Amino acid sequence: MELMNKDLLTLKINMNKDLISYKQDPALVAAINKLYSRNDAMNVPSLLPERKLDFDEVQRLLKPAVVNKVDSKPITVQKGNENKAVIIKKIENILKNIDNSAERGVSPKLVIRNQRLWSNCIYDLDRVTLKSMNSAKTTKLVYSNNEDKTRFNMIVFVLTKIHELLSKNITVTRRELFYQNVSRFVSQTKLDTAVRDACCLLETPPWSLGVVATAKGLIAGPIKIYNSDGSILDCNVAGGTLIPQDIVGITKFETTAKYILLVEKDAIFQKLLDEGALIRLAPVIILTGKGYPDVCTRQLLYRLVCELRLQALALVDADPHGYEIYLTYKYGSLAQSHLSDSLACTSLLLLGASYQDLMTLVPTPARLTLTAIDRRKLTALINRPYLNTPIGGPIKEDLRRMLERGLKAELEAVVPYSVAMSDSYIPSKIIAADFLG
């Protein structure tokens, strides 16, 4: 056992020596510098739509990125307090209207934009955006209708809870809110739906309502995150660190990184760190949402790209789920279409693994056959309206070819050898600018 420990220690020392003496390929350095100088990492669509834009849409397009938010903190606090007062007033008006209807003997009702229809969204600003109340198809919840009553009551309860949170200036995670009211909601999904409905009614993101998502993502690299409570999160640690829950509470980023590598899975994230990717691919920030991304990870990626002017590259499996995860980061999701202005990272590029990687790099025995579920998901992805664009076209073609051949593969099959992902696969893709999106 002692001999094994000595051998392991020797191996670690040798690896550290290799990393310290490691010298990057000049071609990779030049390619990273080219990424850093890109001007399209600002989430502004290259082509404006032909239709007339709303005032809010124009404001969002013209919104400058804030590199240092510490200086603007007093203004942010004041504006936040004003927003809270507006939201509280909105809630009181909604609840008052419900009471007035009941007093008049009229069954109370709530009208909400339907977030289950792709036709209820617009896509011409390079993201999935829920239509305004005037043009969107709506769902009417009537209290006297037995099918609507439970959902109606849940929304009213969430509105009341939000009023309390904002009045007391406190926050709660969705998970905490669920466990405080298990008998009322029964499942986390029902609570999430009620929070989403409340956000739609108030036209406000959940993080402005005192209800925050539980963070599950990890971040690693040469970056420090400054929070409003005075704490500083240094992400340059072994194994990475959990991203903050309160992304809105981040006041400033400090980094020497020149790009962001977004990784689908925790296993690949840890593999890259073990291979010394922070040195071999430096200077880079590596981020993962550990599978299908949570709101916190998407929100953090959006802020990093916008405020630091960094290009983000996505590394996902060459399968329907990997592509869907990439598309969620880039365009947003149907369920969160009302939040896409703060979540969709429209400049995100797909580094790999592409269909071409699957067919050229994966050995035949390691290629997997698509299941019936995979085929249905691919068909649904191909029919997504936002892929009917010059940018989305190549991605759509990849999905079509994958469906035709009936094959898929995981990243581990694309690059099965130790250190090859950091030393060969990723550098060659960056040098060749072999991206989609």
Side-chain angles (χ1 to χ4, degrees):
M1 180 63 71
E2 184 179 350
L3 182 61
M4 286 178 63
N5 289 337
K6 285 183 179 179
D7 290 342
L8 182 60
L9 180 62
T10 303
L11 177 62
K12 288 183 177 178
I13 292 172
N14 289 337
M15 285 180 67
N16 288 334
K17 284 181 179 178
D18 290 342
L19 289 176
I20 293 171
S21 60
Y22 183 80
K23 186 175 181 179
Q24 278 184 320
D25 183 343
L28 176 59
V29 174
I32 291 173
N33 288 334
K34 188 175 180 180
L35 273 180
Y36 186 56
S37 65
R38 288 175 65 100
N39 294 321
D40 61 346
M42 298 178 61
N43 275 9
V44 177
S46 55
L47 294 174
L48 292 176
E50 295 180 1
R51 66 179 174 85
K52 183 179 179 180
L53 296 175
D54 294 336
F55 177 77
D56 289 343
E57 292 175 325
V58 174
Q59 291 297 104
R60 289 193 295 267
L61 291 176
L62 296 177
K63 179 178 66 177
V66 181
V67 177
N68 186 337
K69 295 189 71 177
V70 171
D71 296 337
S72 61
K73 184 178 177 182
I75 299 175
T76 303
V77 172
Q78 181 182 354
K79 186 177 179 182
N81 291 334
E82 291 173 357
N83 289 341
K84 284 182 181 179
V86 171
I87 296 168
I88 289 173
K89 187 64 178 177
K90 275 187 180 181
I91 295 173
E92 290 173 351
N93 288 338
I94 292 171
L95 298 179
K96 185 178 180 180
N97 289 336
I98 292 174
D99 289 339
N100 289 342
S101 296
E103 288 175 2
R104 295 196 312 270
V106 178
S107 184
K109 65 181 180 181
L110 294 171
V111 180
I112 303 171
R113 287 173 290 177
N114 193 320
Q115 291 178 267
R116 298 178 181 178
L117 301 172
W118 285 104
S119 59
N120 237 11
C121 300
I122 52 176
Y123 315 94
D124 51 15
L125 291 178
D126 293 347
R127 59 172 63 88
V128 178
T129 306
L130 190 63
K131 290 180 180 177
S132 64
M133 182 66 82
N134 295 331
S135 56
K137 293 179 181 178
T138 57
T139 298
K140 186 183 293 184
L141 302 177
V142 182
Y143 183 75
S144 59
N145 188 331
N146 289 331
E147 293 181 358
D148 297 339
K149 186 173 290 187
T150 301
R151 186 177 175 188
F152 187 102
N153 286 333
M154 286 182 180
I155 295 172
V156 171
F157 175 82
V158 168
L159 288 172
T160 306
K161 191 66 179 179
I162 289 170
H163 188 283
E164 178 188 345
L165 293 171
L166 294 179
S167 299
K168 295 180 179 179
N169 197 30
I170 56 177
T171 60
V172 64
T173 66
R174 296 191 186 201
R175 202 67 181 155
E176 289 171 340
L177 188 57
F178 169 68
Y179 280 118
Q180 290 168 8
N181 306 274
V182 175
S183 59
R184 181 183 296 273
F185 292 105
V186 182
S187 71
Q188 180 74 49
T189 303
K190 289 184 178 179
L191 169 65
D192 292 342
T193 301
V195 171
R196 187 184 67 205
D197 290 339
C199 290
C200 262
L201 274 173
L202 301 172
E203 298 184 294
T204 308
W207 49 85
S208 297
L209 303 177
V211 181
V212 297
T214 303
K216 66 168 184 171
L218 295 171
I219 183 171
I223 180 171
K224 289 183 179 180
I225 300 175
Y226 292 75
N227 300 302
S228 57
D229 61 3
S231 62
I232 302 173
L233 184 64
D234 188 349
C235 304
N236 208 7
V237 296
T241 185
L242 192 67
I243 68 172
Q245 261 182 190
D246 184 12
I247 305 300
V248 176
I250 296 174
T251 58
K252 185 177 70 169
F253 300 107
E254 279 185 1
T255 185
T256 56
K258 293 187 176 181
Y259 68 108
I260 300 167
L261 185 60
L262 176 67
V263 182
E264 173 190 348
K265 300 184 295 189
D266 182 41
I268 297 297
F269 178 86
Q270 297 299 337
K271 176 180 172 63
L272 287 170
L273 296 186
D274 291 343
E275 290 180 359
L278 291 177
I279 293 176
R280 297 178 188 278
L281 303 174
V284 62
I285 296 169
I286 306 179
L287 182 68
T288 181
K290 294 184 179 180
Y292 196 86
D294 57 299
V295 169
C296 292
T297 305
R298 292 168 61 191
Q299 197 179 1
L300 178 60
L301 176 67
Y302 175 85
R303 285 197 59 181
L304 289 173
V305 168
C306 288
E307 297 176 25
L308 298 176
R309 299 290 203 277
L310 297 181
Q311 179 62 59
L313 307 175
L315 194 61
V316 300
D317 286 335
D319 64 15
H321 294 280
Y323 272 81
E324 183 180 35
I325 286 170
Y326 163 69
L327 294 174
T328 299
Y329 277 113
K330 184 176 179 68
Y331 293 102
S333 64
L334 182 59
Q336 305 290 345
S337 55
H338 59 297
L339 304 175
S340 63
D341 293 327
S342 302
L343 298 179
C345 184
T346 59
S347 64
L348 180 65
L349 299 175
L350 180 63
L351 176 72
S354 64
Y355 172 79
Q356 185 66 25
D357 296 336
L358 163 62
M359 298 309 296
T360 57
L361 299 177
V362 179
T364 302
R367 297 174 188 173
L368 305 175
T369 302
L370 293 176
T371 65
I373 295 175
D374 289 332
R375 289 182 174 277
R376 286 197 295 271
K377 184 174 286 293
L378 272 177
T379 302
L381 292 175
I382 290 169
N383 291 328
R384 297 260 175 105
Y386 52 68
L387 293 183
N388 297 324
T389 64
I391 292 177
I395 300 171
K396 187 172 185 175
E397 183 59 27
D398 249 28
L399 296 174
R400 277 179 176 163
R401 290 193 292 170
M402 185 181 294
L403 183 59
E404 288 172 0
R405 293 298 298 268
L407 297 173
K408 65 178 181 179
E410 294 186 337
L411 266 170
E412 290 86 342
V414 177
V415 192
Y417 305 109
S418 177
V419 193
M421 190 170 291
S422 297
D423 269 0
S424 177
Y425 177 70
I426 294 176
S428 64
K429 298 275 285 188
I430 293 176
I431 292 170
D434 185 10
F435 315 128
L436 288 177

